[in-house]
mmCIF file of all heavy atoms in Angstrom:
data_model
loop_
_atom_site.group_PDB
_atom_site.id
_atom_site.type_symbol
_atom_site.label_atom_id
_atom_site.label_comp_id
_atom_site.label_asym_id
_atom_site.label_seq_id
_atom_site.Cartn_x
_atom_site.Cartn_y
_atom_site.Cartn_z
ATOM 1 N N LEU A 17 -2.871 0.801 9.281
ATOM 2 C CA LEU A 17 -4.179 0.885 8.648
ATOM 3 C C LEU A 17 -4.859 -0.478 8.547
ATOM 4 O O LEU A 17 -6.067 -0.604 8.783
ATOM 5 C CB LEU A 17 -4.045 1.498 7.254
ATOM 6 C CG LEU A 17 -3.909 3.022 7.221
ATOM 7 C CD1 LEU A 17 -3.324 3.487 5.895
ATOM 8 C CD2 LEU A 17 -5.260 3.684 7.452
ATOM 9 N N LEU A 18 -4.100 -1.493 8.198
ATOM 10 C CA LEU A 18 -4.681 -2.834 8.095
ATOM 11 C C LEU A 18 -5.112 -3.352 9.464
ATOM 12 O O LEU A 18 -6.110 -4.078 9.586
ATOM 13 C CB LEU A 18 -3.677 -3.793 7.450
ATOM 14 C CG LEU A 18 -3.374 -3.505 5.968
ATOM 15 C CD1 LEU A 18 -2.254 -4.403 5.463
ATOM 16 C CD2 LEU A 18 -4.629 -3.684 5.113
ATOM 17 N N PHE A 19 -4.372 -2.962 10.508
ATOM 18 C CA PHE A 19 -4.749 -3.329 11.877
ATOM 19 C C PHE A 19 -6.067 -2.655 12.259
ATOM 20 O O PHE A 19 -6.974 -3.292 12.825
ATOM 21 C CB PHE A 19 -3.650 -2.923 12.852
ATOM 22 C CG PHE A 19 -4.013 -3.115 14.304
ATOM 23 C CD1 PHE A 19 -4.071 -4.388 14.845
ATOM 24 C CD2 PHE A 19 -4.303 -2.024 15.109
ATOM 25 C CE1 PHE A 19 -4.416 -4.575 16.191
ATOM 26 C CE2 PHE A 19 -4.649 -2.193 16.441
ATOM 27 C CZ PHE A 19 -4.700 -3.468 16.981
ATOM 28 N N ILE A 20 -6.185 -1.363 11.933
ATOM 29 C CA ILE A 20 -7.431 -0.645 12.226
ATOM 30 C C ILE A 20 -8.585 -1.226 11.413
ATOM 31 O O ILE A 20 -9.704 -1.358 11.907
ATOM 32 C CB ILE A 20 -7.250 0.854 11.923
ATOM 33 C CG1 ILE A 20 -6.253 1.470 12.913
ATOM 34 C CG2 ILE A 20 -8.582 1.591 12.001
ATOM 35 C CD1 ILE A 20 -5.928 2.918 12.642
ATOM 36 N N ALA A 21 -8.301 -1.576 10.134
ATOM 37 C CA ALA A 21 -9.333 -2.185 9.298
ATOM 38 C C ALA A 21 -9.821 -3.498 9.902
ATOM 39 O O ALA A 21 -11.019 -3.809 9.869
ATOM 40 C CB ALA A 21 -8.780 -2.423 7.890
ATOM 41 N N HIS A 22 -8.910 -4.273 10.457
ATOM 42 C CA HIS A 22 -9.261 -5.549 11.078
ATOM 43 C C HIS A 22 -10.209 -5.354 12.257
ATOM 44 O O HIS A 22 -11.104 -6.173 12.495
ATOM 45 C CB HIS A 22 -7.989 -6.262 11.537
ATOM 46 C CG HIS A 22 -8.245 -7.558 12.250
ATOM 47 N ND1 HIS A 22 -8.722 -8.691 11.612
ATOM 48 C CD2 HIS A 22 -8.100 -7.904 13.565
ATOM 49 C CE1 HIS A 22 -8.863 -9.667 12.484
ATOM 50 N NE2 HIS A 22 -8.503 -9.218 13.675
ATOM 51 N N LYS A 23 -10.051 -4.252 12.978
ATOM 52 C CA LYS A 23 -10.871 -3.986 14.150
ATOM 53 C C LYS A 23 -12.178 -3.265 13.797
ATOM 54 O O LYS A 23 -13.058 -3.159 14.639
ATOM 55 C CB LYS A 23 -10.083 -3.132 15.154
ATOM 56 C CG LYS A 23 -8.876 -3.852 15.748
ATOM 57 C CD LYS A 23 -8.049 -2.913 16.608
ATOM 58 C CE LYS A 23 -8.826 -2.428 17.808
ATOM 59 N NZ LYS A 23 -8.027 -1.529 18.680
ATOM 60 N N SER A 24 -12.270 -2.748 12.560
ATOM 61 C CA SER A 24 -13.449 -1.987 12.155
ATOM 62 C C SER A 24 -14.498 -2.905 11.526
ATOM 63 O O SER A 24 -14.257 -4.091 11.283
ATOM 64 C CB SER A 24 -13.051 -0.890 11.164
ATOM 65 O OG SER A 24 -12.070 -0.034 11.716
ATOM 66 N N THR A 25 -15.648 -2.324 11.245
ATOM 67 C CA THR A 25 -16.727 -3.090 10.623
ATOM 68 C C THR A 25 -17.350 -2.269 9.491
ATOM 69 O O THR A 25 -17.150 -1.062 9.395
ATOM 70 C CB THR A 25 -17.833 -3.424 11.646
ATOM 71 O OG1 THR A 25 -18.334 -2.203 12.219
ATOM 72 C CG2 THR A 25 -17.302 -4.318 12.747
ATOM 73 N N GLY A 26 -18.112 -2.936 8.643
ATOM 74 C CA GLY A 26 -18.867 -2.263 7.595
ATOM 75 C C GLY A 26 -18.004 -1.569 6.565
ATOM 76 O O GLY A 26 -16.910 -2.024 6.215
ATOM 77 N N GLY A 27 -18.507 -0.418 6.096
ATOM 78 C CA GLY A 27 -17.816 0.325 5.057
ATOM 79 C C GLY A 27 -16.453 0.821 5.479
ATOM 80 O O GLY A 27 -15.523 0.889 4.667
ATOM 81 N N LYS A 28 -16.305 1.181 6.757
ATOM 82 C CA LYS A 28 -15.006 1.666 7.247
ATOM 83 C C LYS A 28 -13.940 0.592 7.118
ATOM 84 O O LYS A 28 -12.794 0.884 6.766
ATOM 85 C CB LYS A 28 -15.130 2.122 8.699
ATOM 86 C CG LYS A 28 -15.799 3.471 8.877
ATOM 87 C CD LYS A 28 -15.703 3.935 10.315
ATOM 88 C CE LYS A 28 -16.276 5.345 10.466
ATOM 89 N NZ LYS A 28 -16.158 5.825 11.869
ATOM 90 N N LYS A 29 -14.302 -0.640 7.430
ATOM 91 C CA LYS A 29 -13.346 -1.745 7.334
ATOM 92 C C LYS A 29 -12.809 -1.853 5.909
ATOM 93 O O LYS A 29 -11.600 -1.977 5.689
ATOM 94 C CB LYS A 29 -14.034 -3.052 7.736
ATOM 95 C CG LYS A 29 -13.136 -4.288 7.708
ATOM 96 C CD LYS A 29 -13.951 -5.525 8.027
ATOM 97 C CE LYS A 29 -13.079 -6.761 8.126
ATOM 98 N NZ LYS A 29 -12.289 -6.793 9.356
ATOM 99 N N PHE A 30 -13.707 -1.774 4.949
ATOM 100 C CA PHE A 30 -13.343 -1.884 3.536
ATOM 101 C C PHE A 30 -12.445 -0.726 3.107
ATOM 102 O O PHE A 30 -11.434 -0.912 2.424
ATOM 103 C CB PHE A 30 -14.625 -1.918 2.697
ATOM 104 C CG PHE A 30 -14.389 -2.086 1.228
ATOM 105 C CD1 PHE A 30 -14.106 -3.325 0.684
ATOM 106 C CD2 PHE A 30 -14.450 -0.981 0.390
ATOM 107 C CE1 PHE A 30 -13.886 -3.475 -0.676
ATOM 108 C CE2 PHE A 30 -14.242 -1.128 -0.971
ATOM 109 C CZ PHE A 30 -13.958 -2.374 -1.496
ATOM 110 N N ARG A 31 -12.816 0.495 3.516
ATOM 111 C CA ARG A 31 -12.057 1.682 3.091
ATOM 112 C C ARG A 31 -10.682 1.736 3.747
ATOM 113 O O ARG A 31 -9.690 2.091 3.103
ATOM 114 C CB ARG A 31 -12.854 2.948 3.396
ATOM 115 C CG ARG A 31 -14.101 3.090 2.528
ATOM 116 C CD ARG A 31 -14.672 4.490 2.616
ATOM 117 N NE ARG A 31 -15.185 4.790 3.944
ATOM 118 C CZ ARG A 31 -16.432 4.540 4.327
ATOM 119 N NH1 ARG A 31 -17.281 3.969 3.495
ATOM 120 N NH2 ARG A 31 -16.830 4.873 5.537
ATOM 121 N N TYR A 32 -10.605 1.417 5.041
ATOM 122 C CA TYR A 32 -9.295 1.411 5.716
ATOM 123 C C TYR A 32 -8.365 0.378 5.073
ATOM 124 O O TYR A 32 -7.167 0.628 4.908
ATOM 125 C CB TYR A 32 -9.465 1.094 7.209
ATOM 126 C CG TYR A 32 -10.063 2.217 8.023
ATOM 127 C CD1 TYR A 32 -10.766 1.951 9.197
ATOM 128 C CD2 TYR A 32 -9.926 3.541 7.622
ATOM 129 C CE1 TYR A 32 -11.321 2.981 9.949
ATOM 130 C CE2 TYR A 32 -10.471 4.570 8.372
ATOM 131 C CZ TYR A 32 -11.168 4.279 9.540
ATOM 132 O OH TYR A 32 -11.709 5.295 10.286
ATOM 133 N N ALA A 33 -8.932 -0.766 4.724
ATOM 134 C CA ALA A 33 -8.121 -1.802 4.073
ATOM 135 C C ALA A 33 -7.610 -1.313 2.723
ATOM 136 O O ALA A 33 -6.451 -1.554 2.353
ATOM 137 C CB ALA A 33 -8.940 -3.078 3.908
ATOM 138 N N ALA A 34 -8.467 -0.610 1.967
ATOM 139 C CA ALA A 34 -8.063 -0.096 0.652
ATOM 140 C C ALA A 34 -6.942 0.920 0.776
ATOM 141 O O ALA A 34 -5.970 0.894 0.011
ATOM 142 C CB ALA A 34 -9.262 0.525 -0.051
ATOM 143 N N VAL A 35 -7.048 1.816 1.746
ATOM 144 C CA VAL A 35 -5.990 2.821 1.956
ATOM 145 C C VAL A 35 -4.713 2.145 2.431
ATOM 146 O O VAL A 35 -3.599 2.509 2.007
ATOM 147 C CB VAL A 35 -6.455 3.895 2.962
ATOM 148 C CG1 VAL A 35 -5.330 4.879 3.251
ATOM 149 C CG2 VAL A 35 -7.661 4.652 2.425
ATOM 150 N N GLY A 36 -4.843 1.141 3.307
ATOM 151 C CA GLY A 36 -3.659 0.402 3.762
ATOM 152 C C GLY A 36 -2.971 -0.330 2.634
ATOM 153 O O GLY A 36 -1.736 -0.330 2.548
ATOM 154 N N LEU A 37 -3.744 -0.947 1.747
ATOM 155 C CA LEU A 37 -3.168 -1.642 0.595
ATOM 156 C C LEU A 37 -2.501 -0.666 -0.370
ATOM 157 O O LEU A 37 -1.515 -1.002 -1.029
ATOM 158 C CB LEU A 37 -4.248 -2.448 -0.127
ATOM 159 C CG LEU A 37 -4.742 -3.691 0.620
ATOM 160 C CD1 LEU A 37 -5.927 -4.314 -0.109
ATOM 161 C CD2 LEU A 37 -3.633 -4.716 0.777
ATOM 162 N N THR A 38 -3.040 0.554 -0.446
ATOM 163 C CA THR A 38 -2.413 1.583 -1.282
ATOM 164 C C THR A 38 -1.009 1.903 -0.783
ATOM 165 O O THR A 38 -0.067 2.010 -1.574
ATOM 166 C CB THR A 38 -3.275 2.860 -1.293
ATOM 167 O OG1 THR A 38 -4.561 2.549 -1.816
ATOM 168 C CG2 THR A 38 -2.631 3.947 -2.138
ATOM 169 N N SER A 39 -0.855 2.050 0.530
ATOM 170 C CA SER A 39 0.478 2.276 1.108
ATOM 171 C C SER A 39 1.398 1.097 0.808
ATOM 172 O O SER A 39 2.587 1.281 0.522
ATOM 173 C CB SER A 39 0.380 2.484 2.626
ATOM 174 O OG SER A 39 -0.173 3.736 2.925
ATOM 175 N N LEU A 40 0.824 -0.110 0.868
ATOM 176 C CA LEU A 40 1.609 -1.315 0.592
ATOM 177 C C LEU A 40 2.085 -1.327 -0.862
ATOM 178 O O LEU A 40 3.240 -1.651 -1.161
ATOM 179 C CB LEU A 40 0.754 -2.552 0.883
ATOM 180 C CG LEU A 40 1.461 -3.904 0.869
ATOM 181 C CD1 LEU A 40 2.522 -3.973 1.939
ATOM 182 C CD2 LEU A 40 0.446 -5.027 1.062
ATOM 183 N N VAL A 41 1.212 -0.951 -1.777
ATOM 184 C CA VAL A 41 1.578 -0.890 -3.200
ATOM 185 C C VAL A 41 2.694 0.122 -3.426
ATOM 186 O O VAL A 41 3.667 -0.144 -4.149
ATOM 187 C CB VAL A 41 0.337 -0.525 -4.054
ATOM 188 C CG1 VAL A 41 0.747 -0.131 -5.476
ATOM 189 C CG2 VAL A 41 -0.625 -1.699 -4.107
ATOM 190 N N MET A 42 2.583 1.273 -2.789
ATOM 191 C CA MET A 42 3.587 2.321 -2.966
ATOM 192 C C MET A 42 4.949 1.878 -2.456
ATOM 193 O O MET A 42 5.990 2.156 -3.067
ATOM 194 C CB MET A 42 3.119 3.600 -2.281
ATOM 195 C CG MET A 42 1.936 4.258 -2.991
ATOM 196 S SD MET A 42 1.055 5.500 -2.020
ATOM 197 C CE MET A 42 2.292 6.763 -1.842
ATOM 198 N N GLU A 43 4.960 1.167 -1.339
ATOM 199 C CA GLU A 43 6.250 0.720 -0.802
ATOM 200 C C GLU A 43 6.867 -0.375 -1.683
ATOM 201 O O GLU A 43 8.082 -0.395 -1.893
ATOM 202 C CB GLU A 43 6.088 0.229 0.637
ATOM 203 C CG GLU A 43 5.453 -1.140 0.788
ATOM 204 C CD GLU A 43 5.129 -1.487 2.223
ATOM 205 O OE1 GLU A 43 4.510 -0.670 2.937
ATOM 206 O OE2 GLU A 43 5.494 -2.601 2.639
ATOM 207 N N VAL A 44 6.038 -1.272 -2.232
ATOM 208 C CA VAL A 44 6.551 -2.337 -3.100
ATOM 209 C C VAL A 44 7.195 -1.748 -4.353
ATOM 210 O O VAL A 44 8.303 -2.143 -4.754
ATOM 211 C CB VAL A 44 5.415 -3.310 -3.485
ATOM 212 C CG1 VAL A 44 5.869 -4.242 -4.608
ATOM 213 C CG2 VAL A 44 4.984 -4.132 -2.276
ATOM 214 N N PHE A 45 6.510 -0.766 -4.956
ATOM 215 C CA PHE A 45 7.058 -0.174 -6.174
ATOM 216 C C PHE A 45 8.254 0.724 -5.885
ATOM 217 O O PHE A 45 9.104 0.921 -6.753
ATOM 218 C CB PHE A 45 5.967 0.584 -6.926
ATOM 219 C CG PHE A 45 5.101 -0.307 -7.764
ATOM 220 C CD1 PHE A 45 4.011 -0.964 -7.217
ATOM 221 C CD2 PHE A 45 5.390 -0.509 -9.104
ATOM 222 C CE1 PHE A 45 3.220 -1.800 -7.989
ATOM 223 C CE2 PHE A 45 4.608 -1.349 -9.891
ATOM 224 C CZ PHE A 45 3.521 -2.002 -9.330
ATOM 225 N N LEU A 46 8.327 1.246 -4.674
ATOM 226 C CA LEU A 46 9.522 2.001 -4.285
ATOM 227 C C LEU A 46 10.721 1.062 -4.162
ATOM 228 O O LEU A 46 11.856 1.435 -4.495
ATOM 229 C CB LEU A 46 9.267 2.729 -2.961
ATOM 230 C CG LEU A 46 10.285 3.795 -2.537
ATOM 231 C CD1 LEU A 46 10.456 4.849 -3.627
ATOM 232 C CD2 LEU A 46 9.853 4.437 -1.236
ATOM 233 N N ILE A 47 10.480 -0.152 -3.703
ATOM 234 C CA ILE A 47 11.548 -1.163 -3.657
ATOM 235 C C ILE A 47 12.034 -1.484 -5.069
ATOM 236 O O ILE A 47 13.244 -1.580 -5.316
ATOM 237 C CB ILE A 47 11.042 -2.442 -2.942
ATOM 238 C CG1 ILE A 47 10.786 -2.150 -1.460
ATOM 239 C CG2 ILE A 47 12.059 -3.575 -3.093
ATOM 240 C CD1 ILE A 47 10.089 -3.282 -0.735
ATOM 241 N N PHE A 48 11.081 -1.628 -5.986
ATOM 242 C CA PHE A 48 11.467 -1.861 -7.392
ATOM 243 C C PHE A 48 12.326 -0.714 -7.920
ATOM 244 O O PHE A 48 13.273 -0.927 -8.682
ATOM 245 C CB PHE A 48 10.224 -2.012 -8.267
ATOM 246 C CG PHE A 48 9.412 -3.244 -7.999
ATOM 247 C CD1 PHE A 48 8.077 -3.318 -8.374
ATOM 248 C CD2 PHE A 48 9.983 -4.350 -7.385
ATOM 249 C CE1 PHE A 48 7.329 -4.452 -8.132
ATOM 250 C CE2 PHE A 48 9.243 -5.504 -7.139
ATOM 251 C CZ PHE A 48 7.913 -5.551 -7.504
ATOM 252 N N GLN A 49 12.002 0.511 -7.495
ATOM 253 C CA GLN A 49 12.740 1.683 -7.955
ATOM 254 C C GLN A 49 14.189 1.644 -7.477
ATOM 255 O O GLN A 49 15.099 2.100 -8.180
ATOM 256 C CB GLN A 49 12.065 2.957 -7.453
ATOM 257 C CG GLN A 49 12.587 4.237 -8.082
ATOM 258 C CD GLN A 49 12.128 4.423 -9.515
ATOM 259 O OE1 GLN A 49 10.938 4.497 -9.782
ATOM 260 N NE2 GLN A 49 13.059 4.506 -10.446
ATOM 261 N N ILE A 50 14.412 1.093 -6.299
ATOM 262 C CA ILE A 50 15.780 0.992 -5.777
ATOM 263 C C ILE A 50 16.639 0.111 -6.670
ATOM 264 O O ILE A 50 17.789 0.450 -6.981
ATOM 265 C CB ILE A 50 15.765 0.427 -4.328
ATOM 266 C CG1 ILE A 50 15.127 1.441 -3.370
ATOM 267 C CG2 ILE A 50 17.179 0.086 -3.864
ATOM 268 C CD1 ILE A 50 15.010 0.930 -1.951
ATOM 269 N N PHE A 51 16.079 -0.998 -7.096
ATOM 270 C CA PHE A 51 16.863 -1.979 -7.854
ATOM 271 C C PHE A 51 16.984 -1.635 -9.341
ATOM 272 O O PHE A 51 17.898 -2.136 -10.010
ATOM 273 C CB PHE A 51 16.259 -3.377 -7.690
ATOM 274 C CG PHE A 51 16.388 -3.915 -6.304
ATOM 275 C CD1 PHE A 51 15.286 -3.996 -5.457
ATOM 276 C CD2 PHE A 51 17.623 -4.334 -5.832
ATOM 277 C CE1 PHE A 51 15.409 -4.489 -4.173
ATOM 278 C CE2 PHE A 51 17.751 -4.838 -4.536
ATOM 279 C CZ PHE A 51 16.653 -4.907 -3.706
ATOM 280 N N ASP A 52 16.056 -0.805 -9.846
ATOM 281 C CA ASP A 52 16.118 -0.480 -11.274
ATOM 282 C C ASP A 52 15.690 0.962 -11.476
ATOM 283 O O ASP A 52 14.501 1.267 -11.603
ATOM 284 C CB ASP A 52 15.212 -1.420 -12.068
ATOM 285 C CG ASP A 52 15.388 -1.238 -13.580
ATOM 286 O OD1 ASP A 52 16.231 -0.408 -13.985
ATOM 287 O OD2 ASP A 52 14.685 -1.932 -14.336
ATOM 288 N N ASP A 53 16.673 1.873 -11.510
ATOM 289 C CA ASP A 53 16.348 3.292 -11.671
ATOM 290 C C ASP A 53 16.083 3.658 -13.128
ATOM 291 O O ASP A 53 15.787 4.816 -13.445
ATOM 292 C CB ASP A 53 17.450 4.183 -11.095
ATOM 293 C CG ASP A 53 18.818 3.878 -11.684
ATOM 294 O OD1 ASP A 53 18.895 3.437 -12.836
ATOM 295 O OD2 ASP A 53 19.823 4.081 -10.973
ATOM 296 N N ALA A 54 16.183 2.688 -14.037
ATOM 297 C CA ALA A 54 15.911 2.946 -15.452
ATOM 298 C C ALA A 54 14.445 2.716 -15.800
ATOM 299 O O ALA A 54 14.057 2.835 -16.963
ATOM 300 C CB ALA A 54 16.798 2.053 -16.335
ATOM 301 N N TYR A 55 13.623 2.396 -14.788
ATOM 302 C CA TYR A 55 12.206 2.140 -15.021
ATOM 303 C C TYR A 55 11.396 2.968 -14.020
ATOM 304 O O TYR A 55 11.741 3.027 -12.835
ATOM 305 C CB TYR A 55 11.905 0.657 -14.851
ATOM 306 C CG TYR A 55 10.549 0.250 -15.358
ATOM 307 C CD1 TYR A 55 10.322 0.044 -16.717
ATOM 308 C CD2 TYR A 55 9.476 0.097 -14.477
ATOM 309 C CE1 TYR A 55 9.070 -0.309 -17.185
ATOM 310 C CE2 TYR A 55 8.223 -0.262 -14.937
ATOM 311 C CZ TYR A 55 8.036 -0.459 -16.301
ATOM 312 O OH TYR A 55 6.786 -0.803 -16.769
ATOM 313 N N PRO A 56 10.309 3.621 -14.441
ATOM 314 C CA PRO A 56 9.531 4.506 -13.548
ATOM 315 C C PRO A 56 8.619 3.742 -12.597
ATOM 316 O O PRO A 56 7.394 3.892 -12.617
ATOM 317 C CB PRO A 56 8.730 5.361 -14.537
ATOM 318 C CG PRO A 56 8.508 4.466 -15.701
ATOM 319 C CD PRO A 56 9.768 3.626 -15.821
ATOM 320 N N SER A 57 9.202 2.935 -11.748
ATOM 321 C CA SER A 57 8.409 2.061 -10.869
ATOM 322 C C SER A 57 7.568 2.859 -9.869
ATOM 323 O O SER A 57 6.392 2.551 -9.638
ATOM 324 C CB SER A 57 9.330 1.102 -10.113
ATOM 325 O OG SER A 57 10.024 0.270 -11.004
ATOM 326 N N TYR A 58 8.177 3.887 -9.266
ATOM 327 C CA TYR A 58 7.437 4.635 -8.243
ATOM 328 C C TYR A 58 6.242 5.360 -8.859
ATOM 329 O O TYR A 58 5.182 5.454 -8.227
ATOM 330 C CB TYR A 58 8.359 5.624 -7.551
ATOM 331 C CG TYR A 58 7.713 6.325 -6.374
ATOM 332 C CD1 TYR A 58 7.295 5.603 -5.262
ATOM 333 C CD2 TYR A 58 7.503 7.698 -6.382
ATOM 334 C CE1 TYR A 58 6.691 6.235 -4.186
ATOM 335 C CE2 TYR A 58 6.901 8.342 -5.311
ATOM 336 C CZ TYR A 58 6.495 7.608 -4.220
ATOM 337 O OH TYR A 58 5.889 8.233 -3.158
ATOM 338 N N ALA A 59 6.401 5.852 -10.100
ATOM 339 C CA ALA A 59 5.273 6.494 -10.787
ATOM 340 C C ALA A 59 4.127 5.498 -10.965
ATOM 341 O O ALA A 59 2.951 5.843 -10.777
ATOM 342 C CB ALA A 59 5.730 7.041 -12.133
#
């Protein structure tokens, strides 16, 4: 998504980047969930 955002322009560039960053956030918090299952990181 970030690659497509880089190649896009205007509003699409902004929206693709936002969706790509959302996936990035979800994966980071999933990593936190692996190391500490006593905290609702993925939520």
Side-chain angles (χ1 to χ4, degrees):
L17 281 161
L18 292 173
F19 173 73
I20 293 176
H22 177 70
K23 294 174 64 179
S24 303
T25 57
K28 283 188 175 181
K29 181 184 185 74
F30 182 79
R31 291 194 294 271
Y32 287 154
V35 176
L37 289 173
T38 300
S39 287
L40 189 62
V41 167
M42 290 164 66
E43 76 189 49
V44 168
F45 278 85
L46 192 55
I47 293 171
F48 293 159
Q49 191 73 60
I50 292 177
F51 292 107
D52 188 2
D53 55 29
Y55 193 80
S57 298
Y58 187 63

